[in-house]
Structure formats: structure tokens, C-alpha cells
Amino acid sequence: MALSYHRLLHAILDIGEAMQNSGAEISRVEDSINRMCMAYGVRRVNSFTITANMLVSLEVDDDTVITQTRRLHQVSTDMTRLDRLNDLSRYICAHKPPVEEIQRRYAEIQNLPRLSKLMTYVGGVLTAAGFTVFFGGNLWDALAASLLALLVESMMLLPIRRQMNPLFYLFGTAFCTGLGALILYSMGLGNHLDAVLIGCIMLTIPGLAITNAVRDLLSGDTFSGLSRLCESLLQAGGIACGFALAIYLLGRGIYG
Amino acid sequence: MTGMELFWQLASAFLGSFGFAILFHVRGLKLFVAGLGGMATWGFYLLMHAHMESLLVANLFAALFGGLFAEIMARLLRAPATVFAAPAVITMVPGGSLYYTLYNAIAGNAEAASEYGQTTWDVAVGIAIGLAAVTSVFHLLTVLRRKYQPKPQ
């Protein structure tokens, strides 16, 4: 059966989209798409990816130029998936499998389990507790931060999150967590309110997004870099603001 | 800094980076390596910070170290470098000074806010330059290798 470049490009875009959604840098996504396409012997590939959109044109021969686009949505970092997608992309470049095989392998990766709720809570608690001690808290502070991490992660897992303005939702989460920290502190759990708060901030701050944004920016993907940087700085600011406002409004009596 | 404080700092840096890697869905041996990267990078930062006035330059060198660690581990364990780079530098991310900046801004202490803001900025820029330098050098190496080495097969 002759190779359908339409279906091939569709399958390759599936992989690129999934890579981006798992938290890959833009240059990695574009590079993988280009190499996968070139492996199938097309004459020319033009791919352009920014945070929200992916656009790829294949020039197969004089009469055939195929273009497809994708609208890209929210990223949820998943390194296991990214790892597998990377392997798949290498495999495709080396073996040029038929489109059906690409689709089958892609579906296998998409069906991998996401990070379970339990592990989300475990990761959140370890991060918040770790950073609370890191910023000068003692073990009671770490316990308080752990309880707050459970609050943060359960708010992050609420389905209503998708219906709300993401920035405002983060701000609200931070504000509630700040209040929670004050309540625990006034009940006598924890001695260093600052350390507890900063531990929770480190948990919620978009660390990977900022790292990737800077990488994009300095590797020449200026659009993506700037928009990601803008987005993540706003988020980081919103989060810190939520905590700070909660403490300022309600905590001045007990906050030295 | 006493030995005990150093121990707690390094132990908690490990725990924090490890927790972060869990949230990024890193698994197995790579989780421990990610945590180790966070701990080693923070240790290196403390060393740099002790010998340098400039916060920016100390963070820059520590980020170079973290980035290098991530690229090497990525090659040894066959994974994208981001897997280790983000947990390695997360300990240096200025979450604390960002909080103090905004707290003081909200509380109306403009002077303190701008001072903390400057710290936040210095640290962030230092990390960014350090990581970017490592990434671009390794990218260059990959390009050169692809160009001058015949493909195995």
C-alpha cells in the first residue's frame, strides 16, 4: 500500500503534540517532527511550533504540499511519557515503520497511566516538607507544610479548576493555603510561619515552566520563550501574592 | 554554618528535589538521581556563595553545575536532560525572596520590596544564564557529532 503522507503527518503531529503536552521544550518538539518527517524521504519540512500552536508543512514532490496545524493546550508535566515519546521518535527515524504501527505505538503511550492521586499527594508532601526544612523550619513546621500540601494538591485535582481562569485559580489556592497556614500556626502547629509558607510556595511555583521558558528563549524560540515566561512569571507572582495577601490581611496580629 | 545545619540543608534539598521529581512523574532510579542532583547542586551553590560576593554569579556557577549534572545523567540513563535539570536547580529558585518581595509590596514597604525584588531578579537571571550556557554547549556537541560521525548501521 502506498504511503499516505496525510496520515503520516497526522500521526507525527500526534506525537509532537503529546511531547509538548508532557512538558518538552519547543526546540525538542520541532527537531523531532523534522527528523521524523525527513526519515520518510520528503523533500522539505517546515515546522513552526509556539506554545499554543503547531504548524507543519511537508513538501513531498512538485504537486504535493501538505499542511496541518494543531491547537496546543495546557501542559501537564509527565516525564515518563516524554521519555517514551522520545524513544518512539528515535525508533521512527531509524526504522520508518508503517503509519499503522506508529498509531499503535502512540496509542500504547497515551494509554500509560497518569501520575496517580496517591503519588501526587506523596510528591506534594515531600516537596513542601523538604523545602520547609530547607528554609529553616523544624519538624513541626514540616508537619504543618505537609498538611497544607494535601490541601494544595486536592485543590489542584478538583475538576472545577478547568472551568476557571487558571491564574485566578492559583491565586485562590495560594490564598486558601495561606489562611490554612495561619490557622495551623495559631493552633500551635509550627514555629516558623515564613518557612511553612515558602515551602508551600516552592510546591506551587511553576519551576519547570520557567526553566523551559528560559531554554526556549535562549535557543532562539523567542515567541514561545516569551509567552511561557510571561505566563509562568504571572503564575509565580499570583501564587506569592495569594500567600502574602492572606498573611497581610489576617495575620498581622500573630505575625511578627 | 554548623555541620548539623549543613546536614539538614542537604537532606532537605534532596527531599524537596525528590518530591518535585515525583510530581513530574519521574520514576525508579531516575527519581533518586534527580534528588541527588538537587542536593549536589545546592552543596555546590553553598561552596560558591561562600567565596563570592555576587549572588548572580554564585547562582550562575551553581546552575552550570546543575545543568552539567543533568546533561551527563541524561546521557548515562538515556532520558531527556529536562528530567534532571529542573529538580537540580529547583533548590535555587528564589521562592523565598519572591514571597518577601510581594509581602513587602502589599504591606507598603517599598524599600524592602525593591531590595527583595533585586535579590529575586539576580538569582533568577543567574540560574537562567547558567542553564542556557550548558544547554547550548551540549546542543553544539550533538550537532557536531551528527555532522562528523557516520551513522552506525
Side-chain angles (χ1 to χ4, degrees), chain A residues 25 28 35 78-80 83 86 113 115 119-120 127 130 134 194 197 201-202 208 211 214 218 237 240 248 255, chain B residues 9 12 19-20 22-25 27 30 42 80 82-83 86 90 93 96 99-100 102-103 107 128 131-132 135 146:
Chain A
E25 318 94 279
R28 179 187 298 278
R35 283 208 261 161
D78 188 329
M79 291 300 175
T80 301
D83 217 355
N86 242 351
L115 184 64
M119 286 314 280
T120 310
T127 309
F134 187 72
D194 289 27
L197 290 170
I201 289 177
M202 294 300 282
L208 185 75
T211 319
V214 172
L218 289 150
Y248 178 71
Y255 184 70
Chain B
Q9 281 237 314
S12 55
F20 242 100
I22 292 181
L23 291 177
F24 292 158
H25 208 175
R27 288 194 297 199
K30 289 170 196 164
W42 185 251
T82 324
V83 175
I90 196 73
V93 166
Y99 167 72
Y100 290 120
L102 285 160
Y103 181 79
L131 268 189
T135 309
R146 225 182 269 158

Side-chain angles (χ1 to χ4, degrees), chain B residues 120-151:
Chain B
T120 311
W121 174 251
D122 283 355
V123 174
V125 171
I127 298 174
I129 300 176
L131 268 189
V134 174
T135 309
S136 46
V137 167
F138 272 83
H139 182 72
L140 182 70
L141 289 180
T142 315
V143 171
L144 286 180
R145 204 179 48 201
R146 225 182 269 158
K147 199 167 174 184
Y148 292 109
Q149 233 178 38
K151 275 191 181 167

Side-chain angles (χ1 to χ4, degrees), chain A residues 208-225:
Chain A
L208 185 75
I210 296 178
T211 319
N212 275 349
V214 172
R215 287 173 150 214
D216 287 341
L217 204 53
L218 289 150
S219 58
D221 299 304
T222 319
F223 279 125
S224 311

